[in-house]
Amino acid sequence: MSGSLMFVRPRRFRHGAAMTLAVGCVLVTGVAAGSWRDEARQPGAQTADSLVTRAEREALAASVAEAAAEEKIDAKSAAEAVSRSGDRWSAIYTAREYEGLRQALEGRYVGVGLWVRRDADGRIEVARATPEGPAGRAGITEGDRIRSIDGESVDGRPVTEVVALLRGGERAAVGTQVELGLENGERSWRETLRRSWLDTEDVTTERTEDGALRIDVNSFSSGVGTEIRRAVRGADEEAGVLLDLRGNSGGLLQEAVAICSVFLDGGVVASYDVRGEERTLYAEPGGNTELPLVVLVDGGTMSAAELLAGALQDRGRAVVVGTRTFGKGSVQMPSELPDGSVAELTVGRYRTPEGRQVEGRGIVPEVLAENGAEERARTVLSGLGVD
């Protein structure tokens, strides 16, 4: 990374609230095993990490990164800096937590197989349970509320903290136990689970009754772009593809670019800036530009998933159907601290090919649909396939 902003290239990658920029500076987007769909902001809303304080945050990020490079800052001091920044996307991760996030991005992690979100009242609920994981085998399902983890109340706590507690933080290891306090309606119960190795299933495909290829992408872990390219080779050229990004909290940006390359013949995917220096990301040439394509999104679609939807929309390559996306378009930069922990602070924003800011605004579908969104998307897709 050129310019005055100094940083230490991390040894590990994370599936947290950051973003992949380019070769040599690997960052990511989204959140491990969770989403903030209930916290989606309205267009133009000002928040603690709005553009008003951008220069101040960038200066803080630069100072922390430089201090880390010179081994002049520890995790406690970095945490204090993050707290002062008022940036909800900034975070400090221990070496063990960072390693767990890296494993998740590689498609394997230690955990109980739960994806969580926070509802409008600040309560934590299950967004998804991996069927073959410890939680799924115990009968925990979408909509169950998690009230406590190992006796600690999680009501009102950030999703990132809840995920860390589920995974065990420094204590994370195969076979370790975690006790969950759960409720659903009038029923409340406790469940003790043992953490295990789990493989992520971030891409699932099926053929719809009308012949279209439906691709559900849960997050952008390593290799997702390749999986989608392989799946699209078998798509019906007339029936097309329904790309479902609902609830996709992001992941590796390079995978979002790789997916764009499946459907575009080169050209701009997104631009971003770091301390005023603009960079541009491009799709690779040779993608299938004729295959009918509809992208499904909702309020849980965020970060790299929003960038993908916005790129395909701006380039006129896909019709986007659903509800406004989350609106997380900020860029974080990781700096490894002397003790192996990693500090991340917001340093910029990314924009769609037409220059639209995603942060705080999200992507607005051409076809707005909430209830029955998938049926509407299939109708739109069938129309695209007509000569």
Side-chain angles (χ1 to χ4, degrees), residues 160-192:
T160 48
E161 289 186 16
V162 176
V163 171
L165 289 171
L166 287 171
R167 292 200 171 177
E170 292 298 310
R171 298 181 293 105
V174 173
T176 57
Q177 292 185 346
V178 57
E179 184 187 72
L180 306 185
L182 300 148
E183 69 174 28
N184 193 324
E186 298 296 321
R187 180 190 176 208
S188 61
W189 73 103
R190 292 186 178 276
E191 199 75 58
T192 299

PDB file of all heavy atoms in Angstrom, residues 160-192:
ATOM      1  N   THR A 160     -20.882  -9.256  17.352  1.00  0.00           N
ATOM      2  CA  THR A 160     -19.497  -9.725  17.331  1.00  0.00           C
ATOM      3  C   THR A 160     -19.089 -10.353  18.656  1.00  0.00           C
ATOM      4  O   THR A 160     -18.378 -11.353  18.696  1.00  0.00           O
ATOM      5  CB  THR A 160     -18.549  -8.574  16.995  1.00  0.00           C
ATOM      6  OG1 THR A 160     -18.877  -7.436  17.797  1.00  0.00           O
ATOM      7  CG2 THR A 160     -18.647  -8.190  15.536  1.00  0.00           C
ATOM      8  N   GLU A 161     -19.545  -9.758  19.768  1.00  0.00           N
ATOM      9  CA  GLU A 161     -19.217 -10.307  21.089  1.00  0.00           C
ATOM     10  C   GLU A 161     -19.912 -11.649  21.303  1.00  0.00           C
ATOM     11  O   GLU A 161     -19.333 -12.581  21.878  1.00  0.00           O
ATOM     12  CB  GLU A 161     -19.629  -9.327  22.187  1.00  0.00           C
ATOM     13  CG  GLU A 161     -18.771  -8.074  22.281  1.00  0.00           C
ATOM     14  CD  GLU A 161     -19.140  -7.222  23.464  1.00  0.00           C
ATOM     15  OE1 GLU A 161     -19.839  -7.740  24.376  1.00  0.00           O
ATOM     16  OE2 GLU A 161     -18.737  -6.046  23.493  1.00  0.00           O
ATOM     17  N   VAL A 162     -21.143 -11.742  20.849  1.00  0.00           N
ATOM     18  CA  VAL A 162     -21.890 -12.989  21.008  1.00  0.00           C
ATOM     19  C   VAL A 162     -21.216 -14.101  20.215  1.00  0.00           C
ATOM     20  O   VAL A 162     -21.060 -15.231  20.706  1.00  0.00           O
ATOM     21  CB  VAL A 162     -23.349 -12.805  20.544  1.00  0.00           C
ATOM     22  CG1 VAL A 162     -24.104 -14.126  20.608  1.00  0.00           C
ATOM     23  CG2 VAL A 162     -24.046 -11.762  21.409  1.00  0.00           C
ATOM     24  N   VAL A 163     -20.785 -13.785  18.993  1.00  0.00           N
ATOM     25  CA  VAL A 163     -20.086 -14.778  18.180  1.00  0.00           C
ATOM     26  C   VAL A 163     -18.806 -15.239  18.872  1.00  0.00           C
ATOM     27  O   VAL A 163     -18.485 -16.426  18.897  1.00  0.00           O
ATOM     28  CB  VAL A 163     -19.775 -14.217  16.778  1.00  0.00           C
ATOM     29  CG1 VAL A 163     -18.854 -15.156  16.006  1.00  0.00           C
ATOM     30  CG2 VAL A 163     -21.063 -13.990  16.003  1.00  0.00           C
ATOM     31  N   ALA A 164     -18.076 -14.267  19.452  1.00  0.00           N
ATOM     32  CA  ALA A 164     -16.837 -14.617  20.157  1.00  0.00           C
ATOM     33  C   ALA A 164     -17.114 -15.545  21.335  1.00  0.00           C
ATOM     34  O   ALA A 164     -16.361 -16.496  21.590  1.00  0.00           O
ATOM     35  CB  ALA A 164     -16.133 -13.347  20.625  1.00  0.00           C
ATOM     36  N   LEU A 165     -18.206 -15.293  22.064  1.00  0.00           N
ATOM     37  CA  LEU A 165     -18.557 -16.159  23.192  1.00  0.00           C
ATOM     38  C   LEU A 165     -18.945 -17.553  22.708  1.00  0.00           C
ATOM     39  O   LEU A 165     -18.573 -18.560  23.325  1.00  0.00           O
ATOM     40  CB  LEU A 165     -19.719 -15.545  23.984  1.00  0.00           C
ATOM     41  CG  LEU A 165     -19.405 -14.291  24.800  1.00  0.00           C
ATOM     42  CD1 LEU A 165     -20.697 -13.682  25.351  1.00  0.00           C
ATOM     43  CD2 LEU A 165     -18.458 -14.633  25.951  1.00  0.00           C
ATOM     44  N   LEU A 166     -19.671 -17.628  21.614  1.00  0.00           N
ATOM     45  CA  LEU A 166     -20.059 -18.936  21.077  1.00  0.00           C
ATOM     46  C   LEU A 166     -18.839 -19.740  20.651  1.00  0.00           C
ATOM     47  O   LEU A 166     -18.776 -20.954  20.856  1.00  0.00           O
ATOM     48  CB  LEU A 166     -21.002 -18.756  19.886  1.00  0.00           C
ATOM     49  CG  LEU A 166     -22.426 -18.298  20.195  1.00  0.00           C
ATOM     50  CD1 LEU A 166     -23.158 -17.954  18.918  1.00  0.00           C
ATOM     51  CD2 LEU A 166     -23.185 -19.368  20.968  1.00  0.00           C
ATOM     52  N   ARG A 167     -17.882 -19.044  20.061  1.00  0.00           N
ATOM     53  CA  ARG A 167     -16.688 -19.747  19.581  1.00  0.00           C
ATOM     54  C   ARG A 167     -15.676 -20.002  20.687  1.00  0.00           C
ATOM     55  O   ARG A 167     -14.788 -20.826  20.537  1.00  0.00           O
ATOM     56  CB  ARG A 167     -16.047 -18.948  18.455  1.00  0.00           C
ATOM     57  CG  ARG A 167     -16.933 -18.938  17.225  1.00  0.00           C
ATOM     58  CD  ARG A 167     -16.166 -18.600  15.995  1.00  0.00           C
ATOM     59  NE  ARG A 167     -16.997 -18.801  14.817  1.00  0.00           N
ATOM     60  CZ  ARG A 167     -16.614 -18.541  13.592  1.00  0.00           C
ATOM     61  NH1 ARG A 167     -15.404 -18.075  13.367  1.00  0.00           N
ATOM     62  NH2 ARG A 167     -17.415 -18.737  12.582  1.00  0.00           N
ATOM     63  N   GLY A 168     -15.799 -19.263  21.792  1.00  0.00           N
ATOM     64  CA  GLY A 168     -14.950 -19.543  22.936  1.00  0.00           C
ATOM     65  C   GLY A 168     -13.754 -18.652  23.110  1.00  0.00           C
ATOM     66  O   GLY A 168     -13.028 -18.779  24.091  1.00  0.00           O
ATOM     67  N   GLY A 169     -13.508 -17.729  22.167  1.00  0.00           N
ATOM     68  CA  GLY A 169     -12.376 -16.818  22.301  1.00  0.00           C
ATOM     69  C   GLY A 169     -11.078 -17.564  22.502  1.00  0.00           C
ATOM     70  O   GLY A 169     -10.746 -18.498  21.769  1.00  0.00           O
ATOM     71  N   GLU A 170     -10.347 -17.200  23.529  1.00  0.00           N
ATOM     72  CA  GLU A 170      -9.063 -17.833  23.807  1.00  0.00           C
ATOM     73  C   GLU A 170      -9.218 -19.294  24.226  1.00  0.00           C
ATOM     74  O   GLU A 170      -8.273 -20.068  24.169  1.00  0.00           O
ATOM     75  CB  GLU A 170      -8.328 -17.058  24.915  1.00  0.00           C
ATOM     76  CG  GLU A 170      -7.881 -15.660  24.496  1.00  0.00           C
ATOM     77  CD  GLU A 170      -6.892 -15.712  23.353  1.00  0.00           C
ATOM     78  OE1 GLU A 170      -5.914 -16.462  23.447  1.00  0.00           O
ATOM     79  OE2 GLU A 170      -7.120 -15.018  22.359  1.00  0.00           O
ATOM     80  N   ARG A 171     -10.429 -19.658  24.653  1.00  0.00           N
ATOM     81  CA  ARG A 171     -10.654 -21.034  25.112  1.00  0.00           C
ATOM     82  C   ARG A 171     -11.174 -21.928  23.995  1.00  0.00           C
ATOM     83  O   ARG A 171     -11.484 -23.092  24.209  1.00  0.00           O
ATOM     84  CB  ARG A 171     -11.663 -21.035  26.262  1.00  0.00           C
ATOM     85  CG  ARG A 171     -11.197 -20.263  27.491  1.00  0.00           C
ATOM     86  CD  ARG A 171     -12.230 -20.328  28.600  1.00  0.00           C
ATOM     87  NE  ARG A 171     -13.460 -19.611  28.259  1.00  0.00           N
ATOM     88  CZ  ARG A 171     -14.584 -20.177  27.921  1.00  0.00           C
ATOM     89  NH1 ARG A 171     -14.661 -21.490  27.831  1.00  0.00           N
ATOM     90  NH2 ARG A 171     -15.659 -19.463  27.633  1.00  0.00           N
ATOM     91  N   ALA A 172     -11.309 -21.373  22.792  1.00  0.00           N
ATOM     92  CA  ALA A 172     -11.896 -22.137  21.694  1.00  0.00           C
ATOM     93  C   ALA A 172     -11.047 -23.355  21.361  1.00  0.00           C
ATOM     94  O   ALA A 172      -9.861 -23.246  21.100  1.00  0.00           O
ATOM     95  CB  ALA A 172     -12.032 -21.252  20.462  1.00  0.00           C
ATOM     96  N   ALA A 173     -11.654 -24.508  21.396  1.00  0.00           N
ATOM     97  CA  ALA A 173     -10.972 -25.751  21.037  1.00  0.00           C
ATOM     98  C   ALA A 173     -12.025 -26.822  20.839  1.00  0.00           C
ATOM     99  O   ALA A 173     -13.116 -26.762  21.424  1.00  0.00           O
ATOM    100  CB  ALA A 173      -9.988 -26.172  22.130  1.00  0.00           C
ATOM    101  N   VAL A 174     -11.707 -27.778  20.007  1.00  0.00           N
ATOM    102  CA  VAL A 174     -12.628 -28.893  19.778  1.00  0.00           C
ATOM    103  C   VAL A 174     -12.872 -29.623  21.091  1.00  0.00           C
ATOM    104  O   VAL A 174     -11.942 -29.936  21.834  1.00  0.00           O
ATOM    105  CB  VAL A 174     -12.041 -29.862  18.734  1.00  0.00           C
ATOM    106  CG1 VAL A 174     -12.902 -31.113  18.617  1.00  0.00           C
ATOM    107  CG2 VAL A 174     -11.931 -29.171  17.381  1.00  0.00           C
ATOM    108  N   GLY A 175     -14.150 -29.854  21.403  1.00  0.00           N
ATOM    109  CA  GLY A 175     -14.509 -30.594  22.604  1.00  0.00           C
ATOM    110  C   GLY A 175     -14.846 -29.733  23.803  1.00  0.00           C
ATOM    111  O   GLY A 175     -15.424 -30.241  24.772  1.00  0.00           O
ATOM    112  N   THR A 176     -14.508 -28.443  23.761  1.00  0.00           N
ATOM    113  CA  THR A 176     -14.866 -27.579  24.885  1.00  0.00           C
ATOM    114  C   THR A 176     -16.366 -27.343  24.903  1.00  0.00           C
ATOM    115  O   THR A 176     -17.032 -27.363  23.861  1.00  0.00           O
ATOM    116  CB  THR A 176     -14.129 -26.225  24.825  1.00  0.00           C
ATOM    117  OG1 THR A 176     -14.428 -25.581  23.585  1.00  0.00           O
ATOM    118  CG2 THR A 176     -12.634 -26.423  24.942  1.00  0.00           C
ATOM    119  N   GLN A 177     -16.924 -27.093  26.086  1.00  0.00           N
ATOM    120  CA  GLN A 177     -18.359 -26.959  26.245  1.00  0.00           C
ATOM    121  C   GLN A 177     -18.784 -25.498  26.304  1.00  0.00           C
ATOM    122  O   GLN A 177     -18.034 -24.625  26.757  1.00  0.00           O
ATOM    123  CB  GLN A 177     -18.829 -27.657  27.519  1.00  0.00           C
ATOM    124  CG  GLN A 177     -18.702 -29.174  27.478  1.00  0.00           C
ATOM    125  CD  GLN A 177     -19.297 -29.819  28.719  1.00  0.00           C
ATOM    126  OE1 GLN A 177     -19.571 -29.163  29.704  1.00  0.00           O
ATOM    127  NE2 GLN A 177     -19.513 -31.129  28.653  1.00  0.00           N
ATOM    128  N   VAL A 178     -20.009 -25.249  25.864  1.00  0.00           N
ATOM    129  CA  VAL A 178     -20.630 -23.936  26.014  1.00  0.00           C
ATOM    130  C   VAL A 178     -22.097 -24.173  26.362  1.00  0.00           C
ATOM    131  O   VAL A 178     -22.769 -24.996  25.749  1.00  0.00           O
ATOM    132  CB  VAL A 178     -20.488 -23.089  24.731  1.00  0.00           C
ATOM    133  CG1 VAL A 178     -21.083 -23.798  23.524  1.00  0.00           C
ATOM    134  CG2 VAL A 178     -21.130 -21.724  24.918  1.00  0.00           C
ATOM    135  N   GLU A 179     -22.576 -23.463  27.390  1.00  0.00           N
ATOM    136  CA  GLU A 179     -23.964 -23.610  27.816  1.00  0.00           C
ATOM    137  C   GLU A 179     -24.780 -22.416  27.339  1.00  0.00           C
ATOM    138  O   GLU A 179     -24.427 -21.260  27.614  1.00  0.00           O
ATOM    139  CB  GLU A 179     -24.066 -23.722  29.336  1.00  0.00           C
ATOM    140  CG  GLU A 179     -25.505 -23.965  29.804  1.00  0.00           C
ATOM    141  CD  GLU A 179     -25.633 -23.912  31.315  1.00  0.00           C
ATOM    142  OE1 GLU A 179     -25.550 -22.801  31.887  1.00  0.00           O
ATOM    143  OE2 GLU A 179     -25.826 -24.986  31.926  1.00  0.00           O
ATOM    144  N   LEU A 180     -25.866 -22.689  26.639  1.00  0.00           N
ATOM    145  CA  LEU A 180     -26.735 -21.639  26.125  1.00  0.00           C
ATOM    146  C   LEU A 180     -28.050 -21.622  26.897  1.00  0.00           C
ATOM    147  O   LEU A 180     -28.646 -22.671  27.167  1.00  0.00           O
ATOM    148  CB  LEU A 180     -27.045 -21.875  24.644  1.00  0.00           C
ATOM    149  CG  LEU A 180     -25.872 -22.046  23.681  1.00  0.00           C
ATOM    150  CD1 LEU A 180     -26.397 -22.145  22.246  1.00  0.00           C
ATOM    151  CD2 LEU A 180     -24.893 -20.901  23.815  1.00  0.00           C
ATOM    152  N   GLY A 181     -28.488 -20.407  27.246  1.00  0.00           N
ATOM    153  CA  GLY A 181     -29.818 -20.211  27.791  1.00  0.00           C
ATOM    154  C   GLY A 181     -30.716 -19.760  26.657  1.00  0.00           C
ATOM    155  O   GLY A 181     -30.451 -18.727  26.027  1.00  0.00           O
ATOM    156  N   LEU A 182     -31.759 -20.514  26.347  1.00  0.00           N
ATOM    157  CA  LEU A 182     -32.571 -20.282  25.160  1.00  0.00           C
ATOM    158  C   LEU A 182     -34.035 -20.103  25.514  1.00  0.00           C
ATOM    159  O   LEU A 182     -34.497 -20.542  26.577  1.00  0.00           O
ATOM    160  CB  LEU A 182     -32.432 -21.458  24.195  1.00  0.00           C
ATOM    161  CG  LEU A 182     -31.014 -21.752  23.686  1.00  0.00           C
ATOM    162  CD1 LEU A 182     -30.837 -23.233  23.435  1.00  0.00           C
ATOM    163  CD2 LEU A 182     -30.737 -20.962  22.426  1.00  0.00           C
ATOM    164  N   GLU A 183     -34.773 -19.450  24.610  1.00  0.00           N
ATOM    165  CA  GLU A 183     -36.218 -19.355  24.767  1.00  0.00           C
ATOM    166  C   GLU A 183     -36.876 -19.215  23.400  1.00  0.00           C
ATOM    167  O   GLU A 183     -36.265 -18.728  22.444  1.00  0.00           O
ATOM    168  CB  GLU A 183     -36.611 -18.178  25.659  1.00  0.00           C
ATOM    169  CG  GLU A 183     -36.368 -16.814  25.064  1.00  0.00           C
ATOM    170  CD  GLU A 183     -36.926 -15.708  25.959  1.00  0.00           C
ATOM    171  OE1 GLU A 183     -37.002 -15.901  27.183  1.00  0.00           O
ATOM    172  OE2 GLU A 183     -37.271 -14.651  25.398  1.00  0.00           O
ATOM    173  N   ASN A 184     -38.102 -19.635  23.327  1.00  0.00           N
ATOM    174  CA  ASN A 184     -38.904 -19.475  22.126  1.00  0.00           C
ATOM    175  C   ASN A 184     -40.358 -19.445  22.573  1.00  0.00           C
ATOM    176  O   ASN A 184     -40.905 -20.461  22.990  1.00  0.00           O
ATOM    177  CB  ASN A 184     -38.667 -20.608  21.125  1.00  0.00           C
ATOM    178  CG  ASN A 184     -39.244 -20.281  19.757  1.00  0.00           C
ATOM    179  OD1 ASN A 184     -40.284 -19.650  19.639  1.00  0.00           O
ATOM    180  ND2 ASN A 184     -38.554 -20.732  18.726  1.00  0.00           N
ATOM    181  N   GLY A 185     -40.972 -18.264  22.516  1.00  0.00           N
ATOM    182  CA  GLY A 185     -42.322 -18.115  23.027  1.00  0.00           C
ATOM    183  C   GLY A 185     -42.355 -18.319  24.529  1.00  0.00           C
ATOM    184  O   GLY A 185     -41.602 -17.690  25.275  1.00  0.00           O
ATOM    185  N   GLU A 186     -43.195 -19.209  24.976  1.00  0.00           N
ATOM    186  CA  GLU A 186     -43.316 -19.483  26.416  1.00  0.00           C
ATOM    187  C   GLU A 186     -42.271 -20.474  26.912  1.00  0.00           C
ATOM    188  O   GLU A 186     -42.083 -20.642  28.115  1.00  0.00           O
ATOM    189  CB  GLU A 186     -44.721 -20.043  26.714  1.00  0.00           C
ATOM    190  CG  GLU A 186     -45.852 -19.085  26.380  1.00  0.00           C
ATOM    191  CD  GLU A 186     -45.788 -17.824  27.245  1.00  0.00           C
ATOM    192  OE1 GLU A 186     -45.471 -17.937  28.442  1.00  0.00           O
ATOM    193  OE2 GLU A 186     -46.065 -16.738  26.702  1.00  0.00           O
ATOM    194  N   ARG A 187     -41.587 -21.107  25.998  1.00  0.00           N
ATOM    195  CA  ARG A 187     -40.632 -22.144  26.392  1.00  0.00           C
ATOM    196  C   ARG A 187     -39.254 -21.547  26.637  1.00  0.00           C
ATOM    197  O   ARG A 187     -38.779 -20.705  25.874  1.00  0.00           O
ATOM    198  CB  ARG A 187     -40.530 -23.198  25.291  1.00  0.00           C
ATOM    199  CG  ARG A 187     -39.567 -24.321  25.606  1.00  0.00           C
ATOM    200  CD  ARG A 187     -39.335 -25.193  24.393  1.00  0.00           C
ATOM    201  NE  ARG A 187     -38.342 -26.213  24.643  1.00  0.00           N
ATOM    202  CZ  ARG A 187     -37.561 -26.754  23.735  1.00  0.00           C
ATOM    203  NH1 ARG A 187     -37.667 -26.361  22.476  1.00  0.00           N
ATOM    204  NH2 ARG A 187     -36.687 -27.685  24.050  1.00  0.00           N
ATOM    205  N   SER A 188     -38.597 -21.956  27.705  1.00  0.00           N
ATOM    206  CA  SER A 188     -37.202 -21.577  27.977  1.00  0.00           C
ATOM    207  C   SER A 188     -36.456 -22.821  28.432  1.00  0.00           C
ATOM    208  O   SER A 188     -37.010 -23.674  29.130  1.00  0.00           O
ATOM    209  CB  SER A 188     -37.117 -20.485  29.039  1.00  0.00           C
ATOM    210  OG  SER A 188     -37.665 -20.917  30.264  1.00  0.00           O
ATOM    211  N   TRP A 189     -35.206 -22.941  28.014  1.00  0.00           N
ATOM    212  CA  TRP A 189     -34.424 -24.127  28.351  1.00  0.00           C
ATOM    213  C   TRP A 189     -32.936 -23.829  28.239  1.00  0.00           C
ATOM    214  O   TRP A 189     -32.522 -22.795  27.725  1.00  0.00           O
ATOM    215  CB  TRP A 189     -34.810 -25.300  27.468  1.00  0.00           C
ATOM    216  CG  TRP A 189     -34.355 -25.237  26.037  1.00  0.00           C
ATOM    217  CD1 TRP A 189     -33.316 -25.901  25.470  1.00  0.00           C
ATOM    218  CD2 TRP A 189     -34.940 -24.460  24.966  1.00  0.00           C
ATOM    219  NE1 TRP A 189     -33.196 -25.612  24.133  1.00  0.00           N
ATOM    220  CE2 TRP A 189     -34.176 -24.737  23.794  1.00  0.00           C
ATOM    221  CE3 TRP A 189     -36.005 -23.576  24.884  1.00  0.00           C
ATOM    222  CZ2 TRP A 189     -34.474 -24.141  22.567  1.00  0.00           C
ATOM    223  CZ3 TRP A 189     -36.295 -22.995  23.671  1.00  0.00           C
ATOM    224  CH2 TRP A 189     -35.539 -23.268  22.528  1.00  0.00           C
ATOM    225  N   ARG A 190     -32.141 -24.761  28.727  1.00  0.00           N
ATOM    226  CA  ARG A 190     -30.686 -24.665  28.632  1.00  0.00           C
ATOM    227  C   ARG A 190     -30.163 -25.830  27.797  1.00  0.00           C
ATOM    228  O   ARG A 190     -30.690 -26.931  27.858  1.00  0.00           O
ATOM    229  CB  ARG A 190     -30.032 -24.668  30.014  1.00  0.00           C
ATOM    230  CG  ARG A 190     -30.339 -23.418  30.824  1.00  0.00           C
ATOM    231  CD  ARG A 190     -29.574 -23.374  32.136  1.00  0.00           C
ATOM    232  NE  ARG A 190     -29.858 -22.145  32.850  1.00  0.00           N
ATOM    233  CZ  ARG A 190     -29.251 -20.995  32.635  1.00  0.00           C
ATOM    234  NH1 ARG A 190     -28.287 -20.932  31.725  1.00  0.00           N
ATOM    235  NH2 ARG A 190     -29.561 -19.913  33.317  1.00  0.00           N
ATOM    236  N   GLU A 191     -29.127 -25.538  27.029  1.00  0.00           N
ATOM    237  CA  GLU A 191     -28.531 -26.560  26.172  1.00  0.00           C
ATOM    238  C   GLU A 191     -27.023 -26.471  26.291  1.00  0.00           C
ATOM    239  O   GLU A 191     -26.444 -25.395  26.139  1.00  0.00           O
ATOM    240  CB  GLU A 191     -28.957 -26.329  24.724  1.00  0.00           C
ATOM    241  CG  GLU A 191     -28.804 -27.522  23.831  1.00  0.00           C
ATOM    242  CD  GLU A 191     -29.874 -28.566  24.085  1.00  0.00           C
ATOM    243  OE1 GLU A 191     -31.073 -28.233  23.972  1.00  0.00           O
ATOM    244  OE2 GLU A 191     -29.487 -29.715  24.372  1.00  0.00           O
ATOM    245  N   THR A 192     -26.383 -27.590  26.609  1.00  0.00           N
ATOM    246  CA  THR A 192     -24.919 -27.631  26.667  1.00  0.00           C
ATOM    247  C   THR A 192     -24.400 -28.287  25.399  1.00  0.00           C
ATOM    248  O   THR A 192     -24.778 -29.419  25.067  1.00  0.00           O
ATOM    249  CB  THR A 192     -24.430 -28.418  27.900  1.00  0.00           C
ATOM    250  OG1 THR A 192     -24.899 -27.756  29.080  1.00  0.00           O
ATOM    251  CG2 THR A 192     -22.906 -28.464  27.928  1.00  0.00           C
TER     252      THR A 192
END
